Structures are given as structure tokens and as C-alpha cells.
């Protein structure tokens, strides 16, 4: 009887995930990726916006390459590997503007991809020397207040995690935790994490008494999504006995529970998690990273499949509706730090940066496929 019961559960899970064919998701990811690569054939082309010109190894582009890396691991294309290697070689595997001593987490994001390429045997230690030197400078300093906005966690924590795992050196785990704990508990006096809501304020500008138009606290979707993705990309590098792992697992599970009731009926989350009337509507980047986390959590046993399968499928269906026939992604909020930034967010609106939204979409799709397999 027990055997029949468990077989039934397995079949139900397979039927559930079969609602979105894997082939469709893979095709949509390659379509969106190809659209971007066609638009940006030169990996070293500077990114020009109204306020300034930026090099192509800034955080927005790094997030795209994080997603491309995961897609390559799942469905390798030599052209994608060349696109990644050409990017690293163009920048000589350096951080933004060659700032080896930078403490800005945004500048460190590219290191995630550099390290992954090195671990895949695509080059010698020159690929990781700049990022390792940069992080080592931080590890062996006492300063721990650098991550004053929550985006930092996604940009930098996975770099520390990769180095800790590679070198089997707990110093990286401990410094990463010090930086994380300061952001959680001390920035803006009491920290940027709200334990009552199990959500994060983006930075000091949004802690109480700041409130949204409907009187709720301001929890920006993508800000929380950055934290959520940081936890995933850190936990996937950790062993069962890695320092502070339980803290990250508990945070991941608590955030997951908090996100469930905030999901819209169409599968998306709005830019303001607790005030859907403040620039309401579907938004891709936060939704994609929440789906990324749901998939990872269920695949690794950290989240209950019975609870999270339906919300995940709803989110994935919503995300697929954002892909234009050309591969352009709609409903992407541009760069910023709060609900009003990067507006309007519509199916046809073009964000100021198209790269990081695509990276979020690729992370969601690849992790979903890993789970469904």
C-alpha cells in the first residue's frame, strides 16, 4: 500500500510539472538570449545611458552572464562559452575600471562568472587573480559595514562562497557572514531586515516611518529578490557543516513563506510587495528570482513541494508571457531602488538596461528545468 502511495505522489509531481513543457522553456530562454547577443555582438561595447557611460563588466551585465552560465551548464552551446570567455578576456578578468581595491559589491559581481569559468577549466589562475585579491583585501580587514543596500548580497555573497569552497578556507565564510549580519542587524540602527514580515528594506531610506501610499511598509520586490537569490547562490556552494549555513537556510525558508501570500493571481509579484496599488502590475525581475528560489528550495528539499509547486508553476507561466516573438523581454523594471523607479513597466516598455532582467529570467528557467528533471 505504501509503495502504491509513493508511486502516486511521484506521478502527480510529474504530471504537475508537465504542464509547462521543458522544451518550451528552453526555447524561450535561447530566444531571449539570442535576441540580446544579436543586439550586443561586441562584448566590450560600453553601455551608454543619459547620465554616464559604463564599462560592460558592471553589475547589470554580470547578472546576465550569471544566467548565461547556468544556461550553458544545462544546455551547452559553444557560442555561449565564447561569448563569456571573450567578455572576461576583454576586461582582463578585472573588476570595473580596474579597481582592485574596490569594496563596492556591485563591482565584485563579475567575479561569480570568472570563478565559474576557471572551475570549468577554461583558463589559468589569471582568470581569478583580480577577484581573489580584491576579496582577500576585504577578508583581512575589520570593516564590515560595506553592504548598506540589500542588492549587495546578491552581487557579492556568491563570490565569497565560491572562494570559500574552492580554497576550503573558513575565513571567507566568516567575513561574508560579518558583512551579511551587519546589513541584517545594524544598518539603519536596527538593520535592514524586518523579522516580523520576514522581508528586507532596500536601504536606510525605506525603514519606518517610511510607508507606502496604502500605509504598508515598503518592501521593494527586486530588493528582496536580490537577497533571495543571494541565499540560493550561497547555499548551493555550502556543505552541510559550512559555517552559518543554518542562518541562511532559516532566512531562505522564512522569506519563502512570506512571499507566498503576496503573489498575484497571474503568477507575478508587484514592484511593491505590500502595496499592489503603488505602480501595480506584473514585473519580471522580482518574479523570476522568486521562482528561481522556489525551484531551488524544492529541488534541494528545503521547501515543501506540495506547498510551492502551484505558485512556482503560476510564476513560470507568467514569466513566459513576457517573451516577445523577437526574444525581447517585457515587464522588466529598469535600474533603481524602489517601486517608482524604471516606470512605466509594461509588456512593451524598454528598460534602461536589458541585461540583468534577462539574467534573472535565465536563472529562473534553468533552475526550474533542473527541478522538473
Amino acid at each position: 500500500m505504501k509503495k502504491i502511495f509513493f508511486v502516486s505522489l511521484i506521478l502527480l509531481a510529474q504530471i504537475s510539472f508537465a504542464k509547462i513543457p521543458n522544451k518550451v522553456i528552453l526555447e524561450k530562454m535561447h530566444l531571449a538570449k539570442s535576441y540580446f547577443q544579436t543586439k550586443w555582438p561586441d562584448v566590450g561595447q560600453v553601455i551608454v545611458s543619459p547620465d554616464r557611460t559604463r564599462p560592460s563588466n558592471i553589475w547589470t551585465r554580470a547578472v546576465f552572464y550569471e544566467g548565461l552560465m547556468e544556461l550553458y551548464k544545462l544546455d551547452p552551446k559553444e557560442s555561449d562559452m565564447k561569448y563569456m570567455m571573450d567578455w572576461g578576456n576583454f576586461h582582463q578578468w578585472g573588476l570595473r575600471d580596474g579597481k582592485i581595491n574596490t569594496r563596492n559589491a556591485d563591482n565584485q559581481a563579475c567575479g561569480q562568472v570568472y570563478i565559474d569559468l576557471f572551475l570549468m577549466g577554461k583558463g589559468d589562475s589569471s582568470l581569478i587573480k583580480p577577484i581573489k585579491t580584491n576579496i582577500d583585501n576585504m577578508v583581512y580587514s575589520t570593516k564590515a559595514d560595506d553592504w548598506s543596500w540589500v542588492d549587495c548580497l546578491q552581487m557579492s555573497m556568491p563570490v565569497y562562497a565560491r572562494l570559500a569552497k574552492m580554497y576550503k578556507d573558513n575565513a571567507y565564510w566568516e567575513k561574508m557572514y560579518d558583512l551579511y549580519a551587519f546589513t541584517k542587524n545594524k544598518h539603519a540602527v536596527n538593520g535592514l531586515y524586518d523579522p516580523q514580515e520576514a522581508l528586507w528594506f532596500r536601504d536606510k531610506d525605506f525603514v519606518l516611518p517610511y510607508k507606502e501610499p496604502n500605509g504598508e511598509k515598503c518592501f521593494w520586490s527586486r530588493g528582496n529578490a536580490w537577497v533571495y537569490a543571494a541565499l540560493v547562490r550561497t547555499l548551493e556552494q555550502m556543505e552541510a557543516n559550512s559555517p552559518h549555513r543554518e542562518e541562511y537556510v532559516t532566512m531562505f525558508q522564512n522569506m519563502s513563506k512570506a512571499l507566498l501570500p503576496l503573489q498575484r493571481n497571474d503568477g507575478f509579484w508587484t514592484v511593491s510587495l505590500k502595496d499592489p496599488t503603488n505602480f501595480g502590475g506584473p514585473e519580471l525581475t522580482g518574479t523570476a528570482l522568486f521562482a528561481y528560489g522556489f525551484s531551488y528550495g524544492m529541488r534541494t528539499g528545503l521547501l515543501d513541494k506540495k506547498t510551492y509547486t502551484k505558485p512556482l508553476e503560476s510564476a513560470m507561466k507568467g514569466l513566459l508571457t513576457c517573451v516577445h516573438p523577437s526574444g525581447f523581454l517585457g515587464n522588466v523594471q529598469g535600474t533603481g531602488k524602489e517601486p517608482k523607479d524604471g516606470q512605466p513597466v509594461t509588456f512593451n516598455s524598454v528598460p534602461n538596461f536589458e541585461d540583468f532582467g534577462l539574467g534573472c529570467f535565465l536563472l529562473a528557467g534553468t533552475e526550474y528545468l533542473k527541478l522538473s528533471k
Side-chain angles (χ1 to χ4, degrees), residues 276-319:
T277 65
N278 190 23
F279 299 100
E283 199 283 314
L284 180 142
T285 61
T287 299
L289 294 180
F290 296 147
Y292 173 53
F294 283 7
S295 292
Y296 172 81
M298 285 191 281
R299 182 172 66 83
T300 57
L302 296 179
L303 297 179
D304 173 52
K305 287 186 177 181
K306 183 178 179 181
T307 302
Y308 289 91
T309 293
K310 187 175 179 179
L312 170 61
E313 289 180 346
S314 180
M316 288 303 302
K317 287 177 181 177
L319 291 172

Side-chain angles (χ1 to χ4, degrees), residues 109-162:
C110 57
Q112 298 184 44
V113 182
Y114 296 166
I115 295 170
D116 281 359
L117 287 168
F118 171 74
L119 292 173
M120 295 170 76
K122 299 302 178 180
D124 58 28
S125 61
S126 64
L127 275 65
I128 62 170
K129 184 177 180 181
I131 187 62
K132 184 179 185 302
T133 300
N134 173 263
I135 298 299
D136 285 351
N137 289 338
M138 294 191 66
V139 167
Y140 296 107
S141 74
T142 57
K143 192 171 184 292
D145 62 350
D146 299 276
W147 297 350
S148 60
W149 67 103
V150 296
D151 313 34
C152 296
L153 275 64
Q154 198 280 338
M155 306 304 159
S156 196
M157 282 180 69
V159 178
Y160 283 82
R162 281 161 169 73

Side-chain angles (χ1 to χ4, degrees), residues 200-271:
W200 295 67
F201 301 109
R202 197 272 178 176
D203 58 51
K204 64 180 177 59
D205 294 337
F206 301 99
V207 300
L208 293 174
Y210 186 97
K211 290 186 178 181
E212 290 287 78
N214 70 347
E216 291 282 355
K217 300 172 185 176
C218 181
F219 296 115
W220 181 41
S221 177
R222 192 165 67 239
N224 279 273
W226 288 137
V227 177
Y228 201 56
L231 295 169
V232 171
R233 293 180 65 76
T234 297
L235 285 168
E236 67 183 2
Q237 300 296 323
M238 302 187 94
E239 305 292 342
N241 62 346
S242 294
H244 310 292
R245 182 178 181 274
E246 273 306 308
E247 159 69 23
Y248 305 131
V249 168
T250 299
M251 179 62 69
F252 175 73
Q253 291 173 330
N254 288 344
M255 287 188 71
S256 299
K257 292 176 186 176
L259 290 168
L260 280 177
L262 303 178
Q263 187 179 27
R264 293 159 48 105
N265 290 334
D266 58 8
F268 291 94
W269 282 262
T270 50
V271 292

